[in-house]
Amino acid sequence: MLGFSQLRDSDQDILLNATSAEHPVPTKARSLSHRLRRYFQDSWALEFLSWLAATVMLLALLILLGTFNGKSLRQWHSNLSLNTIIAVVSQLMQMVLMVPIASTLCQLQWLWYRDRKPLKDFAYFGDASTGPWDSLVLLYKHYTSLIVWLGVMCMLLQALLGIFAQQALSILDRNIPIAANGSISRSLTYTTPSGTEQIGPIVPPEVVPEMKLAIFTGLLRDGVGPSEVSGSSGSGNCTFGTFTSMAVCASVEDVTSSIVADCENTEQFSGISDDKCSYSVPALLNHHPSSNVRTSPREKLHSTLYIGASMIYVYSGPDGTPFNDTLIEFYVIYVPDLTILPTTSTSRTNYTGKLAALKGTLSLCANIYNSSMQFGVTNTTVQAQKTHLPWQQGLAANDNNQGGYNASVPGTSDTLFMDPMSMNGLSVWLITSTFNGTSYMPPPATQTTDPTGATDITNNGPSIFGTLASKQVATHLYSNETGVRVTDGVAAMSALLHNVATSMSNALRTTSTTPDTQTGTSYTTDVYFHVTWAWLVVPILSIPLTLLFFALTVARSSRHHIPAWKTSRLAVLQALNPSIRAKLGDGMATNSEIKEALKRKGVHVQLRKVKAGVWELGEE
């Protein structure tokens, strides 16, 4: 029987002779070509050179990525993008690495048949060289062989190489500082034009229109935020960092338990003289007596909701009492369930157990902001609020002749200054012109005896009558799905009051006659290359593991004197013993039929050396 090396030589000679007959080739050139072809077919030179080419490509790729990592996109001047180059190089690496991996996997089949094994195993080794899936099948069939594990791992790494290599490069944005600085308003010192000299608390200074607008905005529009104070930057991009500014903070408390009733007095109402109960809270009775919620035995509750504010002055008293940072303290007394309102004449009813009361407070505080601007859009968030500041009499930091109240902000180096006349004017205006009045909502529409029968087409529910603040408070309190019951008065009131506080805080930053600003660092946006080196683990590992797999297989083949038959199918045909061919039968069949015949007949073979240069696959 001929050895495989003899078969390969004769086939080459036939091909060379045929070629020479048609196209005469010089003898010297034909001899050189013939020797080179034999050298690459019968040795491992081509596989090693392919591995070496993949290694060079990987090194070039790593150098290229390392050079441009962190560099601006403007520094790349080629018409081809860097991503395209990575894709091409990684694809070439996959192609050249496939040569040693496929050849080495096929060479394993000859080492496998050093012992007697089923002939059908040839199919598993041959198919494994075609791709990852078939290599996994080989691993499933021969999982005990460590070198098979190594070969399958190399095949999988080679298949994933391109994907991982292309993921390594990303293009990101970063901020580069420029010479111009930006600024944004804040308020450390708050003073406003007094208009007229204030004489005690009787003639308070006028509130600036911008602050009035801010209060109405907070009442009427939801979603007011600190970002509405815009910064300025020549580039439209700026970071202002963290800064302190004077602000208004809101709080809401349930004081239902403190409601008191007075049912002893009579009062003329709607031309009818009858007894009515009035309701209030101690703070209103002690500080700012005003109209209270009344009930009538012959009519429904006169007012669904009532707002009253207690008068608080900012000046310290003659006894040296400290500065009061409260702008306004007001109370809301309301009917939490409108279905209890009477619609017919009834006996006098005490509603004390059916009413609810809330205490709302707006007071001075300090906000810690964090602000930035990108593409001309300001984004500001409140990082912290500092309340109950240690206010003391002092002078403004930028005006030695102006007296007022200072407060250091804990955790910062900033000191706030408030002009007492400006604050008192704001407080009086909030009390007398904003948070006061009553609101009336009829009972649910199902009560046909409702004398008004009014319907609000905007919410398909009862109309709300009253002052601006009372209507907005009532709208928020009865904003649930029923529209007639208050489910969480504190939460509803807090949402409205925090909105007003935010809007007033914004105005404090922009309406002072002694403005303060926070300087920021302007920047321009730069696009740059960023390499995530972790993604290159797969391409890097594929190189040494392929060399290890290749070297182990070549060493074992050399140790057992097995030629480099690699992927040759002719070697299998030539090496089969005639008795094995007889068992397989004559003619050709489908792949499945051949595999079934081999399995059914249980043909086992072993690679053995018949004589020098001659090998065969035969039975023992």
Side-chain angles (χ1 to χ4, degrees):
M1 176 175 285
L2 291 174
F4 171 61
S5 58
Q6 294 171 310
L7 174 66
R8 179 173 289 180
D9 294 343
S10 60
D11 287 345
Q12 292 169 358
D13 291 338
I14 293 173
L15 290 173
L16 285 173
N17 291 335
T19 303
S20 300
E22 296 178 6
H23 304 283
V25 180
T27 303
K28 187 176 295 186
R30 185 181 67 179
S31 176
L32 177 61
S33 173
H34 176 70
R35 287 199 302 270
L36 286 176
R37 186 178 293 111
R38 285 197 59 181
Y39 176 73
F40 283 113
Q41 288 181 345
D42 296 340
S43 70
W44 296 98
L46 179 61
E47 286 73 17
F48 179 76
L49 289 176
S50 298
W51 174 87
L52 191 60
T55 303
V56 172
M57 291 179 191
L58 177 62
L59 290 175
L61 187 61
L62 293 177
I63 293 173
L64 182 64
L65 291 176
T67 301
F68 283 93
N69 184 29
K71 297 292 182 63
S72 175
L73 193 62
R74 295 190 298 268
Q75 295 179 261
W76 180 260
H77 303 295
S78 174
N79 291 330
L80 287 177
S81 68
L82 187 52
N83 297 85
T84 301
I85 293 177
I86 293 174
V88 172
V89 173
S90 60
Q91 185 65 39
L92 290 175
M93 285 182 62
Q94 286 180 284
M95 293 172 58
V96 296
L97 275 180
M98 191 65 176
V99 175
I101 294 173
S103 296
T104 309
L105 275 172
C106 285
Q107 184 68 15
L108 284 182
Q109 67 190 355
W110 302 108
L111 295 172
W112 179 254
Y113 282 103
R114 285 180 52 251
D115 300 319
R116 190 171 181 268
K117 295 292 191 307
L119 183 59
K120 62 183 179 65
D121 286 354
F122 263 105
Y124 299 131
F125 283 95
D127 294 342
S129 64
T130 61
W133 174 251
D134 288 315
S135 65
L136 290 174
V137 173
L138 173 64
L139 183 63
Y140 172 73
K141 294 295 182 178
H142 305 296
Y143 60 89
T144 57
S145 175
L146 293 179
I147 198 169
V148 170
W149 273 91
L150 183 58
V152 172
M153 184 179 296
C154 291
M155 179 64 75
L156 294 176
L157 290 176
Q158 176 270 343
L160 297 172
L161 187 150
I163 298 175
F164 278 72
Q166 294 179 58
Q167 288 295 325
L169 181 69
S170 53
I171 298 177
L172 305 177
D173 297 336
R174 62 185 173 187
N175 300 329
I176 298 179
I178 58 178
N181 289 325
S183 64
I184 192 169
S185 297
R186 66 170 180 169
S187 177
L188 296 178
T189 301
Y190 188 74
T191 58
T192 56
S194 59
T196 59
E197 184 69 23
Q198 181 174 2
I199 305 174
I202 306 302
V203 186
E206 182 66 21
V207 177
V208 295
E210 294 84 356
M211 180 60 75
K212 294 180 181 179
L213 178 62
I215 295 171
F216 290 139
T217 299
L219 285 171
L220 295 172
R221 177 167 64 84
D222 293 332
V224 178
S227 298
E228 295 183 15
V229 178
S230 299
S232 63
S233 172
S235 65
N237 301 293
C238 189
T239 55
F240 303 104
T242 301
F243 60 92
T244 305
S245 180
M246 190 181 302
V248 176
C249 292
S251 65
V252 177
E253 180 184 351
D254 191 325
V255 292
T256 301
S257 60
S258 66
I259 295 177
V260 293
D262 180 6
C263 298
E264 300 302 324
N265 299 315
T266 59
E267 188 174 335
Q268 185 71 23
F269 175 65
S270 299
I272 302 174
S273 177
D274 50 6
D275 294 333
K276 304 172 182 66
C277 294
S278 63
Y279 303 95
S280 187
V281 292
L284 290 178
L285 295 174
N286 296 333
H287 292 280
H288 187 65
S290 182
S291 300
N292 299 310
V293 178
R294 300 174 177 86
T295 60
S296 170
R298 303 174 71 178
E299 303 219 353
K300 69 183 72 175
L301 192 64
H302 175 53
S303 295
T304 305
L305 179 144
Y306 162 72
I307 300 179
S310 59
M311 188 69 73
I312 299 175
Y313 301 109
V314 300
Y315 288 119
S316 60
D319 56 350
T321 55
F323 173 80
N324 193 324
D325 60 3
T326 302
L327 290 170
I328 183 173
E329 177 185 288
F330 65 93
Y331 297 83
V332 179
I333 302 174
Y334 63 96
V335 180
D337 185 354
L338 298 183
T339 60
I340 70 170
L341 295 179
T343 57
T344 59
S345 297
T346 62
S347 60
R348 185 173 62 184
T349 304
N350 189 328
Y351 282 88
T352 306
K354 300 179 181 179
L355 300 181
L358 299 173
K359 174 185 175 181
T361 304
L362 292 174
S363 57
L364 290 180
C365 62
N367 277 349
I368 310 298
Y369 294 104
N370 187 283
S371 186
S372 63
M373 175 185 287
Q374 188 171 21
F375 305 118
V377 178
T378 303
N379 180 31
T380 303
T381 58
V382 178
Q383 301 292 305
Q385 284 190 333
K386 305 292 184 178
T387 58
H388 307 295
L389 300 177
W391 293 95
Q392 295 179 348
Q393 288 185 336
L395 299 175
N398 57 356
D399 188 351
N400 293 331
N401 297 322
Q402 184 173 10
Y405 292 90
N406 292 322
S408 58
V409 181
T412 72
S413 59
D414 297 313
T415 299
L416 306 182
F417 174 83
M418 169 55 76
D419 170 30
M421 290 194 300
S422 299
M423 180 178 175
N424 196 52
L426 180 58
S427 179
V428 171
W429 192 82
L430 286 170
I431 294 170
T432 59
S433 304
T434 307
F435 287 96
N436 55 58
T438 62
S439 177
Y440 168 70
M441 288 181 63
T446 54
Q447 299 187 11
T448 56
T449 54
D450 179 7
T452 64
T455 301
D456 186 350
I457 61 174
T458 60
N459 61 7
N460 297 321
S463 297
I464 303 175
F465 305 100
T467 62
L468 175 63
S470 65
K471 287 198 298 183
Q472 291 306 110
V473 170
T475 300
H476 279 74
L477 289 177
Y478 300 101
S479 61
N480 57 73
E481 65 278 1
T482 64
V484 296
R485 292 184 179 86
V486 179
T487 55
D488 190 344
V490 172
M493 184 70 177
S494 295
L496 175 64
L497 208 55
H498 282 291
N499 205 55
V500 174
T502 300
S503 186
M504 293 180 67
S505 298
N506 292 344
L508 286 177
R509 295 169 58 187
T510 57
T511 60
S512 177
T513 55
T514 53
D516 298 292
T517 58
Q518 171 71 9
T519 303
T521 303
S522 296
Y523 63 89
T524 184
T525 301
D526 179 52
V527 182
Y528 71 101
F529 297 111
H530 174 72
V531 178
T532 306
W533 297 104
W535 284 106
L536 295 173
V537 170
V538 169
I540 292 173
L541 280 179
S542 63
I543 297 299
L545 289 180
T546 299
L547 179 62
L548 178 61
F549 177 52
F550 173 69
L552 288 175
T553 304
V554 171
R556 292 182 62 181
S557 298
S558 178
R559 186 168 67 249
H560 297 292
H561 306 289
I562 297 177
W565 291 320
K566 300 180 283 191
T567 60
S568 175
R569 298 293 187 268
L570 295 177
V572 181
L573 296 176
Q574 180 66 16
L576 278 177
N577 186 282
S579 62
I580 302 299
R581 292 176 180 168
K583 284 189 176 184
L584 295 177
D586 298 329
M588 299 286 289
T590 63
N591 285 332
S592 59
E593 289 174 345
I594 294 173
K595 289 181 178 180
E596 290 173 0
L598 290 173
K599 184 177 181 180
R600 183 175 61 254
K601 296 179 181 180
V603 179
H604 286 65
V605 296
Q606 182 179 3
L607 181 66
R608 58 191 179 187
K609 190 173 185 180
V610 178
K611 58 182 179 180
V614 179
W615 298 77
E616 72 170 8
L617 287 169
E619 295 181 296
E620 293 182 338

